[in-house]
Amino acid sequence: MTEEALPLWIEAIVAALLLLSAALALGAAWGLVRLKNFFQRMHPPALVFVGASWCVTFASLIFFSAQSRGPQLHVWIIIILLSITVPVSTVLLSRA
């Protein structure tokens, strides 16, 4: 199977989304270090990690859809499951 190079603008969008994801994950990790107690550490980093995961999902969706010349929607399964389980686990940890 011969792979063609993707257009530069698609590669730039994917790279920007991945860099944004890395910056969000770094910010969430910094928040875990800076926040004082357990309850302050739960909510903001969880939201930022989910935001970083959304950026990776959009990057994967754009990259694989452009590579195969059609929509690749199987990537959505990961982010849907992650977006459901992170808030539920946060609530369960706060009640424990």
Side-chain angles (χ1 to χ4, degrees):
M1 181 174 174
T2 306
E3 292 186 27
E4 294 180 24
L6 293 177
L8 185 61
W9 64 273
I10 291 178
E11 290 179 355
I13 292 172
V14 170
L17 284 169
L18 291 176
L19 286 173
L20 178 62
S21 174
L24 287 173
L26 183 63
W30 183 253
L32 283 175
V33 172
R34 299 283 299 170
L35 295 173
K36 303 269 186 243
N37 61 26
F38 175 73
F39 292 106
Q40 289 178 339
R41 288 181 184 160
M42 284 179 29
H43 189 64
L47 289 176
V48 176
F49 276 131
V50 171
S53 300
W54 274 100
C55 289
V56 171
T57 300
F58 286 139
S60 299
L61 185 67
I62 292 168
F63 180 78
F64 290 117
S65 294
Q67 195 174 35
S68 67
R69 309 259 191 260
Q72 298 294 313
L73 301 177
H74 63 277
V75 178
W76 287 106
I77 295 171
I78 298 168
I79 194 63
I80 288 171
L81 292 175
L82 186 65
S83 294
I84 291 170
T85 57
V86 168
V88 170
S89 63
T90 302
V91 168
L92 290 175
L93 282 173
S94 68
R95 291 183 181 180

